[in-house]
Amino acid sequence: MDRRRAVAVSGIGAVSVAGLGVTALWDATVGGRVLTGPVTRFDVSGYPTQRAGEVPAQTVAALDAALPHHESLVARYLSAAALEALGQAGIAPRARREKLGVFVGTVMGTRPVLDRAIGPGRLGVSDRTWADPDELLATLCQVVAVNGPVVLFAPGCSAGNIAIAAGAAAVASGEVDVAICGGVDELSLEVFAFFTAMRALAPDTIRPFDAGRRGTMPGEGAGVLVLERPERALARGVEPLARVLATASAADAYSVTQPHPDGSGLIATIHTCLTRAGLGADDVDWVCAHGTGTPANDGVEARAVAKALAGKRRPVLSSIKGQIGHAEGGAAALEAIVAVKALEENRIPGNVTLLEPDPDCAGVDLVPPGGRKTTVDVVLSQAYGFGGGVSTVLLGRNDDA
């Protein structure tokens, strides 16, 4: 890797079904907790599945007390995660010393606000709020002094990784000194209708890579990473958490909803990341998988990883969606945060809900439910989006090795 363009992760922040903060997310993940449960925010009694990954009500109440009010939970989730990440990075949110840019990905965006506006007992939501995607970033720009580019992406469920890639490129090129980047989404009634129509919802639990998997389960939350040149963080006395070694994106354009059966898009992004980072297949210690628990995704993903990382050992693979649900625009960013923690803690989360591994996934080493304590120097975090979009982020331990 070209050290002149090195990009470091200096802070991370999260709002998730585990609650407020990265510690809550990591502890729940490595603790093997399954956090999906009954939906309480809106009525899903008419749907075959009534479960999701919902941010706890007490967490929402805490955000309401700490942040300016906004009709969209997305705006509040994102702001809270960004403030946590900046705090860890040692960057005062209102300081104007750095050129700071914002790069955020989402799927549903302001749609949940519209759901509430047009549903029974209309709440009088302003038309401008749900119609203008920039409103999602309004609260963040209130609590953080942003003097660089502000970009919102909507490329499907690879949104978080797309935003991380854009932020890393902006830092590496010198366009910004600091990048706030990540993904966010709010649980939506429309998601239930959409996935129900596709018969893609799990009736009880998401079981990634399991022979009996029956579907995914919606979730929500926000994950934010602060990216900057490592020497900037060190000058403030902050030791970076990890390095962004490479990023890559592709679109196989095979189907509106399904990845290409040969996994060509994912294989291309993995190969590109390894080439850009100057690494080989056996250098990757863990693949933080997209792993939605759907029959259409998991077999394709496992075979693609096995092919792309063919080496002396089987690639090590697990997904955390069985625990926190599929947070859509927030999924890849939350998974990238867990990847950073895995590098810090030398611990790989397990496939917590795995009962019987799918024989179609035999080419990879599926981490058992209890996880694995081992040396973790390099993590590949990958995400699929509808329409064939794939985005991969390669993260490395923060040292010269």
Side-chain angles (χ1 to χ4, degrees):
M1 181 178 181
D2 186 346
R3 293 172 184 270
R4 294 170 298 175
R5 303 183 66 198
V7 176
V9 181
S10 57
I12 48 179
V15 176
S16 70
V17 64
L20 184 60
V22 170
T23 298
L25 173 63
W26 176 248
D27 287 350
T29 301
V30 297
R33 295 167 57 198
V34 176
L35 299 173
T36 52
V39 175
T40 64
R41 196 171 299 152
F42 44 76
D43 182 17
V44 292
S45 58
Y47 290 83
T49 297
Q50 291 90 40
R51 301 174 68 83
E54 187 176 283
V55 171
Q58 60 267 32
T59 299
V60 175
L63 298 183
D64 288 341
L67 294 167
H69 176 72
H70 195 284
E71 292 163 315
S72 171
L73 283 175
V74 164
R76 286 174 270 169
Y77 292 166
L78 179 64
S79 300
L83 289 174
E84 180 186 14
L86 288 169
Q88 185 175 31
I91 298 174
R94 298 302 302 171
R96 294 186 177 273
R97 293 186 298 274
E98 299 92 357
K99 187 174 182 181
L100 184 148
V102 175
F103 306 85
V104 175
T106 188
V107 173
M108 297 310 299
T110 52
R111 172 67 204 203
V113 179
L114 177 59
D115 288 345
R116 294 192 289 274
I118 63 178
R122 178 183 170 92
L123 300 180
V125 179
S126 69
D127 291 339
R128 184 179 70 88
T129 297
W130 68 260
D132 183 358
D134 289 343
E135 278 291 329
L136 295 180
L137 307 178
T139 302
L140 175 60
C141 292
Q142 281 183 267
V143 298
V144 176
V146 180
N147 51 10
V150 178
V151 187
L152 184 67
F153 301 94
C157 294
S158 61
N161 277 356
I162 294 289
I164 292 169
V171 169
S173 69
E175 181 183 6
V176 299
D177 298 316
V178 178
I180 293 176
C181 49
V184 62
D185 256 316
E186 175 187 343
L187 201 61
S188 168
L189 182 59
E190 185 185 39
V191 170
F192 275 83
F194 180 63
F195 281 103
T196 297
M198 293 197 301
R199 297 179 175 86
L201 289 181
D204 51 3
T205 303
I206 305 176
R207 300 191 185 280
F209 309 108
D210 192 276
R213 64 186 183 276
R214 297 178 60 187
T216 195
M217 192 173 289
E220 63 175 352
V224 167
L225 294 82
V226 171
L227 305 183
E228 59 184 315
R229 296 284 297 275
E231 59 268 25
R232 291 185 63 86
L234 290 169
R236 294 195 308 276
V238 173
E239 187 72 23
L241 307 175
R243 304 275 181 116
V244 179
L245 302 179
T247 67
S249 301
D252 60 39
Y254 170 75
S255 164
V256 174
T257 59
Q258 297 181 23
H260 196 290
D262 67 10
S264 55
L266 180 56
I267 292 170
T269 64
I270 293 174
H271 284 165
T272 300
C273 278
L274 293 179
T275 299
R276 288 174 175 171
L279 297 176
D282 289 322
D283 292 316
V284 177
D285 297 300
W286 176 42
V287 177
C288 182
H290 188 58
T292 59
T294 57
N297 177 88
D298 295 3
V300 172
E301 183 174 12
R303 291 193 303 273
V305 168
K307 184 174 182 179
L309 296 180
K312 296 178 181 179
R313 59 176 181 171
R314 289 185 301 161
V316 177
L317 188 74
S318 61
S319 168
I320 65 170
K321 286 188 176 69
Q323 298 179 261
I324 69 171
H326 189 345
E328 301 169 66
L334 289 170
E335 288 154 7
I337 286 169
V338 170
V340 169
K341 291 298 295 181
L343 290 163
E344 282 191 295
E345 304 291 338
N346 282 314
R347 187 167 181 179
I348 298 174
N351 292 290
V352 171
T353 56
L354 184 68
L355 297 176
E356 180 184 351
D358 186 345
D360 202 26
C361 304
V364 297
D365 177 4
L366 293 174
V367 184
R372 188 173 292 165
K373 186 72 175 173
T374 185
T375 300
V376 184
D377 290 325
V378 177
V379 177
L380 192 73
S381 185
Q382 57 199 35
Y384 276 109
F386 279 174
V390 187
S391 188
T392 300
V393 173
L394 190 67
L395 298 163
R397 182 183 294 279
N398 178 49
D399 57 29
D400 289 340

